[in-house]
Amino acid sequence: MKRFMDPRTLIIIILLFASSILNGRFASPGDWLMSMLLMLPAVLIGLSLHEFGHAFVAYKLGDDTPYYQGRVTINPGAHIDPIGFVCLLLIGFGWGNPVQINPGNFKKPRRDELLVSLAGVTMNFIVAVLFAVILRILVAAAPEFIYLNEMGDIVLQMILNIILINIVLMVFNLLPVPPLDGFNVVTELFNLRRYGWWYTVYKNGFFILLVLILFDITDIVLTPGVLAVYDLIMDLLFSF
């Protein structure tokens, strides 16, 4: 909630919402509502398992903070941030409730923080591959249901959404911008905390990220990255 006490952040959120309206996101309320309903399972699964990955790995590495905060679970209620969830539906960008850790509980803080940072995106990749495998099995076992049945079409869209959303979460979170996991990864790899500018960038990271999203700068990496991972998974599974 503290991130919204910064008026700069609120202004960017409003501008992103206005941009969504101008781009026709809500031009057809019925279609928008249906697309959100089909996207809902993907969002809940993707965000929840991403945060669960962080919590589980931190707990296994010796930090019981996530356990006592009830985060070592796949229950979406423990991981969904209400404001982040609403923003995701309205402007196409959102976030879960970040897992809190205490690096002092780790045996090797830099190594273990790196592993915790990678755990969320790794979980998203695993989920994407798992549901791609499920889709491959369904297509092979019941093609008529998938392609010639209205309910099958809904199932197909939901599974594709789960695959795509998890890949998006994986690639997006690997961007080296705070508060994303990619920034934590490069921080631990290169020990960036020793530099004076690190805290300034970290403190203003959410605002910086929103500005990059507003001007579509993140899409320069996000779009080709997502397409590359999606094509790789699908090509591997549907080439035989």
Side-chain angles (χ1 to χ4, degrees):
M1 188 67 72
K2 290 182 179 179
R3 61 184 57 162
F4 292 97
M5 296 177 69
D6 184 347
R8 302 174 305 169
T9 298
L10 182 59
I11 290 172
I12 299 296
I13 293 283
I14 293 172
L15 289 175
L16 285 169
F17 180 62
S19 177
S20 293
I21 295 175
L22 293 175
N23 290 333
R25 185 179 181 86
F26 311 106
S28 176
D31 291 342
W32 173 79
L33 180 60
M34 179 57 67
S35 68
M36 289 302 100
L37 289 175
L38 292 174
M39 193 75 70
L40 189 59
V43 171
L44 292 176
I45 290 172
L47 289 178
S48 299
L49 291 180
H50 179 93
E51 298 301 337
F52 166 75
H54 289 312
F56 179 78
V57 171
Y59 178 60
K60 288 298 182 180
L61 290 173
D63 182 17
D64 55 7
T65 304
Y67 176 80
Y68 287 116
Q69 292 183 342
R71 304 302 302 276
V72 188
T73 176
I74 62 174
N75 179 6
H79 303 296
I80 298 300
D81 181 289
I83 296 178
F85 184 72
V86 171
C87 285
L88 183 61
L89 297 179
L90 296 181
I91 65 177
F93 163 73
W95 54 90
N97 185 19
V99 170
Q100 297 178 8
I101 62 172
N102 181 1
N105 291 326
F106 295 141
K107 293 180 179 179
K108 297 183 178 180
R110 279 187 61 193
R111 181 205 66 181
D112 294 348
E113 281 198 66
L114 175 62
L115 293 175
V116 171
S117 296
L118 290 171
V121 295
T122 301
M123 182 63 73
N124 288 134
F125 181 73
I126 291 172
V127 173
V129 171
L130 175 61
F131 276 88
V133 170
I134 291 173
L135 179 60
R136 180 69 179 89
I137 293 173
L138 284 175
V139 168
E144 296 85 1
F145 172 75
I146 293 295
Y147 296 120
L148 302 176
N149 184 285
E150 185 174 349
M151 181 58 68
D153 183 62
I154 293 175
V155 171
L156 174 63
Q157 289 302 317
M158 287 180 134
I159 294 177
L160 288 174
N161 283 340
I162 292 171
I163 297 169
L164 187 59
I165 287 296
N166 275 276
I167 294 174
V168 169
L169 286 171
M170 181 190 75
V171 176
F172 181 74
N173 275 283
L174 284 174
L175 296 177
V177 182
L180 302 179
D181 299 325
F183 185 74
N184 296 329
V185 170
V186 296
T187 292
E188 302 307 332
L189 284 176
F190 302 105
N191 195 21
L192 296 183
R193 288 187 179 89
R194 59 183 169 167
Y195 299 108
W197 53 262
W198 181 89
Y199 182 73
T200 300
V201 173
Y202 180 80
K203 184 175 65 174
N204 295 284
F206 192 67
F207 172 71
I208 295 171
L209 177 62
L210 288 177
V211 171
L212 294 176
I213 293 172
L214 178 64
F215 291 100
D216 294 327
I217 297 175
T218 52
D219 285 346
I220 295 174
V221 176
L222 187 62
T223 300
V226 169
L227 290 176
V229 176
Y230 181 85
D231 289 344
L232 174 64
I233 293 174
M234 289 305 185
D235 288 346
L236 288 175
L237 287 174
F238 286 84
S239 61
F240 58 88

